Amino acid sequence: MIRHKSAIKRNKQSIATRARNRNNMSQLKTQVKKLRSAIEAGDAETASKLLPDTVAGVDKAAKKGVIHDNAAHRTKSRLARKVNALAEAKAS
């Protein structure tokens, strides 16, 4: 059982931070999942519309420290490549 005031405060802070991080991560996963499902369905128009919002969400999560910067760059790059490949396939 926590008895020291500083430990009690730190515990409250960590619980609040964890809840905030889980919410942000959940939103990020939902955005990425929507984009990936549009890519798998072959819907280039929807995928290209969803890409900027998803990239913004990934950047926001990285800025808040929910995911690492390198993970954010990697995710954005992979999604952009898939959307661009889908757009090229539709064009040709």
Side-chain angles (χ1 to χ4, degrees):
M1 190 69 193
I2 302 169
R3 289 193 170 86
H4 294 284
K5 278 189 175 182
S6 60
I8 291 169
K9 179 179 179 181
R10 187 69 205 138
N11 189 44
K12 284 182 185 178
Q13 287 175 333
S14 66
I15 290 170
T17 303
R18 180 170 185 261
R20 204 174 314 121
N21 285 341
R22 284 172 58 100
N23 185 35
N24 290 332
M25 193 62 168
S26 175
Q27 289 176 352
L28 175 64
K29 284 181 179 181
T30 301
Q31 285 179 323
V32 171
K33 197 181 295 186
K34 283 180 186 177
L35 180 57
R36 286 192 176 141
S37 65
I39 292 168
E40 288 176 10
D43 191 357
E45 186 178 326
T46 304
S48 62
K49 286 181 182 177
L50 288 174
L51 183 63
D53 293 335
T54 305
V55 167
V58 171
D59 284 336
K60 187 182 283 188
K63 183 179 178 187
K64 292 180 179 182
V66 177
I67 59 174
H68 195 272
D69 288 341
N70 290 349
H73 294 307
R74 185 174 59 246
T75 302
K76 292 188 300 184
S77 175
R78 288 177 180 171
L79 291 173
R81 275 190 302 177
K82 288 181 181 180
V83 170
N84 290 338
L86 186 64
E88 287 178 13
K90 288 286 184 179
S92 58

